[in-house]
Amino acid sequence: MDWLERVAKLRRWTSNDVRAPHKPLLLLYALGSFQRDADGELRYSAVEEELKRLLEEYGPARPTTPAYPFHHLVSDGVWEVRTDQGLGSPGSGVRVLRSSGATGRLASDLRVALRKEPALLGRLVRVLLDFHFPPSLHADLCEAVGLDLDPVEAAGGVSGGPGGAGGTGRAVRRQRDRRMRELVLTAYEFQCAFCGYDGMLGASTVGLEAAHVRWWSFDGPDEVDNGLCLCSLHHKLFDKGVLGLGEGRRILVSQRFVGRSEASRQQVLALAGRPVIGPQAGVPPVAGRHRQWHAEQVFRGEAREPLTPAYTGAGGVPVCGVVGGQASLLG
């Protein structure tokens, strides 16, 4: 059985490009649990709140429940549910999952495969991360679900990724364009489109990244009109839905973001309503369809009103990355 291919083809609810990472999140959580205790089970009533927090942080902006993947992941052949009455899920209702004593864990065949080939765990994790989440969130997500990839990476478990030396060619949907980073950074003249940061270490840029507006894992193309040059900090906040793009290429800041320090005000809150810096003349800006996808699928809540002019510098550029007269580290 090709477990990589099976995991790569997890059935998920789709409608108008809506993100639904419920099953991948539960499976990542289960793999983290297996790594800590290969014989353990996850009682729904005990893990419900933790799964809710995962969905709130890494799932879609709309409210959702972990009961849905807890029941429906069974149909993908990688997960099993048992109640006080025996093997089999009682349904996707929250109350019935609680009252029946429902517990879940990786399917028995998959547990056998993981014991036989420990490096398989890392390859499964890589497929789930690459197919459902942007790279800027991978490390944080592994930490959130309790996955320690150092041992499996040392064993070659994630070195190839899907389709590489450690993966399977059949699990690959498409290949990334390695020119994307260079094209996007050049288009934005090697400065963050949100704050203008343009750090260099010798002849190389440092702390600047090419961000996909519509995530590559959700069919976002490796094209300049789907990219932004962002510093490491603002890339992470953009992918977490703290920052977004509005009409007229204005920066959005989520009302859900809370930052009380001067650094938070200067580096995040002051961006609200400010125009994006770049791209250079003749280069297409972010396409409306990609901006709209990010606004609907990633950006969290409503946008804040712009701060007073006291938080902007010359020419209306936000005072960003400078705290107490010294440059702060962005990302």
Side-chain angles (χ1 to χ4, degrees):
M1 183 177 297
D2 193 331
W3 291 106
L4 293 177
E5 186 169 6
R6 176 169 291 191
V7 167
K9 294 181 178 179
L10 286 180
R11 289 187 290 274
R12 62 186 183 187
W13 179 84
T14 58
S15 176
N16 297 323
D17 298 323
V18 173
R19 275 203 312 133
H22 307 68
K23 288 182 179 181
L25 281 170
L26 175 58
L27 191 49
L28 283 168
Y29 186 88
L31 288 167
S33 176
F34 178 88
Q35 189 180 50
R36 296 188 299 275
D37 179 6
D39 296 317
E41 294 183 324
L42 301 172
R43 183 172 290 271
Y44 180 80
S45 59
V47 301
E48 181 181 7
E49 290 304 316
E50 193 167 2
L51 291 174
K52 274 185 180 178
R53 287 193 292 272
L54 277 176
L55 284 168
E56 288 172 357
E57 186 168 1
Y58 296 98
R62 66 185 186 283
T64 188
T65 171
Y68 173 88
F70 205 91
H71 166 72
H72 286 286
L73 189 59
V74 172
S75 64
D76 292 276
V78 297
W79 174 254
E80 64 184 34
V81 174
R82 182 180 297 274
T83 68
D84 296 337
Q85 305 302 315
L87 188 64
S89 175
S92 60
V94 172
R95 291 182 180 178
V96 70
L97 285 170
R98 292 172 181 166
S99 63
S100 65
T103 60
R105 61 177 177 174
L106 300 177
S108 58
D109 288 348
L110 178 53
R111 298 199 307 272
V112 170
L114 287 168
R115 288 188 177 97
K116 183 177 180 180
E117 184 186 356
L120 175 61
L121 186 145
R123 295 201 290 270
L124 293 175
V125 170
R126 180 55 58 200
V127 168
L128 289 166
L129 293 175
D130 285 347
F131 280 21
H132 301 281
F133 304 97
S136 66
L137 302 183
H138 289 183
D140 289 350
L141 187 47
C142 284
E143 183 176 353
V145 299
L147 273 164
D148 180 7
L149 290 187
D150 286 343
V152 291
E153 285 175 341
V158 297
S159 59
T168 173
R170 285 175 291 177
V172 175
R173 294 180 298 177
R174 58 199 176 99
Q175 294 292 325
R176 293 178 183 268
D177 187 342
R178 294 183 179 181
R179 300 173 299 167
M180 172 74 171
R181 180 179 185 276
E182 179 182 355
L183 292 174
V184 170
L185 266 61
T186 300
Y188 285 83
E189 300 183 289
F190 298 91
Q191 60 178 336
C192 176
F194 285 0
C195 70
Y197 170 83
D198 60 354
M200 303 280 291
L201 182 63
S204 301
T205 60
V206 60
L208 287 174
E209 301 165 357
H212 283 74
V213 178
R214 181 188 177 107
W215 295 353
W216 186 88
S217 52
F218 281 82
D219 299 321
D222 285 330
E223 298 174 358
V224 173
D225 70 355
N226 186 42
L228 284 171
C229 176
L230 296 177
C231 67
S232 301
L233 171 64
H234 292 136
H235 187 180
K236 176 68 69 65
L237 296 181
F238 188 67
D239 283 346
K240 290 295 288 287
V242 173
L243 301 176
L245 287 177
E247 298 288 347
R249 299 173 59 241
R250 298 278 173 171
I251 301 169
L252 305 178
V253 178
S254 172
Q255 289 181 349
R256 297 186 187 180
F257 174 81
V258 176
R260 299 179 179 86
S261 68
E262 185 66 16
S264 291
R265 287 192 291 271
Q266 291 180 348
Q267 297 179 21
V268 182
L269 299 176
L271 297 175
R274 298 298 164 186
V276 170
I277 302 171
Q280 60 179 282
V283 176
V286 173
R289 65 186 185 279
H290 302 319
R291 179 188 63 78
Q292 188 66 24
W293 182 88
H294 187 277
E296 294 175 354
Q297 299 303 318
V298 181
F299 188 70
R300 300 278 173 166
E302 300 297 322
R304 286 177 172 268
E305 292 295 322
L307 290 182
T308 63
Y311 290 102
T312 59
V317 177
V319 180
C320 207
V322 178
V323 182
Q326 295 184 349
S328 64
L329 179 62
L330 297 181

